[in-house]
């Protein structure tokens, strides 16, 4: 009995794990870019009803809360400009990741990114609320639309920043 151990039949093999898809890092084709341009051209991302509704200064910065319209929704966003800026600075869009567990946001986290070398733009997505200087600003719209709507909200706010913030170098977003 030449053996080897065990006396029981081998268990059936576990199925092979599914292949993990890889991201395609190739540049988009001309046709893909044309399709995106066509899709975006149908969206209303123009500057509409834009106004500054609150402002405040902190150590090394000036913050403005902007209200504007995106489609049928009232949208808000914060623009944080380093103090004493005389020229134009690049723009950094600070996106909060659509945290559904915390619909009220503040500028505490975005301000940790302030280094004085960029203008921070913080969109407030649909159905979210921003607390700034003890006031609440609530964007209308369905939070569940935020994933597709987040792009609209961000691009529309960047268009407002281009119109209202002369220090913003929109060629470096």
């Amino acid at each position: 009995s030449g053996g080897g151990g065990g006396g029981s039949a081998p268990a059936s093999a576990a199925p092979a794990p599914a292949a993990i898809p890889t991201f395609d890092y190739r540049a988009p084709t001309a046709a893909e870019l044309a399709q995106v341009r066509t899709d975006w051209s149908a969206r209303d991302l123009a500057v509409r009803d834009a106004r500054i509704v609150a402002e405040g200064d902190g150590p090394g910065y000036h913050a403005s809360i902007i209200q504007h319209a995106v489609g049928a929704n009232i949208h808000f966003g914060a623009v944080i400009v380093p103090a004493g800026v005389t020229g134009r600075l690049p723009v950094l869009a600070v996106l909060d990741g659509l945290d559904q567990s915390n619909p009220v946001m503040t500028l505490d986290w975005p301000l940790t990114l302030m280094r004085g070398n960029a203008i921070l733009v913080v969109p407030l997505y649909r159905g979210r609320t921003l607390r700034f200087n003890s006031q609440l600003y609530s964007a209308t719209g369905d939070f569940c639309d935020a994933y597709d709507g987040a792009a609209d909200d961000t691009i529309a706010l960047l268009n407002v920043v281009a119109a209202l913030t002369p220090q913003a170098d929109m060629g470096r977003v």
Side-chain angles (χ1 to χ4, degrees):
S1 324
S8 59
S12 59
I20 298 172
T22 58
F23 185 78
D24 183 355
Y25 289 98
R26 291 177 296 178
T29 66
E32 289 168 330
L33 288 173
Q35 182 61 50
V36 169
R37 286 186 190 102
T38 298
D39 291 347
W40 283 105
S41 69
R43 296 177 183 230
D44 179 10
L45 305 174
V47 176
R48 291 192 303 113
D49 305 324
R51 62 188 179 102
I52 296 171
V53 295
E55 294 182 279
D57 294 313
Y61 70 88
H62 177 79
S64 300
I65 306 302
I66 297 174
Q67 175 183 320
H68 63 111
V70 181
N73 294 311
I74 300 300
H75 181 255
F76 293 89
V79 178
I80 306 168
V81 179
V85 172
T86 57
R88 293 169 49 106
L89 293 176
V91 173
L92 175 63
V94 182
L95 312 176
D96 77 345
L98 304 168
D99 181 0
Q100 293 184 19
S101 67
N102 184 18
V104 177
M105 64 180 288
T106 67
L107 296 181
D108 294 344
W109 177 74
L111 285 171
T112 66
L113 304 173
M114 179 56 70
R115 302 287 185 272
N117 60 354
I119 293 171
L120 306 181
V121 175
V122 186
L124 180 68
Y125 298 123
R126 298 158 196 221
R128 298 289 306 270
T129 298
L130 171 68
R131 181 180 298 116
F132 178 75
N133 287 345
S134 301
Q135 295 293 315
L136 296 176
Y137 302 91
S138 296
T140 63
D142 183 358
F143 182 81
C144 293
D145 184 34
Y147 293 101
D148 187 41
D152 289 357
D153 294 347
T154 301
I155 293 170
L157 179 60
L158 288 170
N159 287 336
V160 170
V161 169
L164 297 182
T165 311
Q167 304 95 323
D169 181 351
M170 300 309 290
R172 296 189 293 160
V173 176

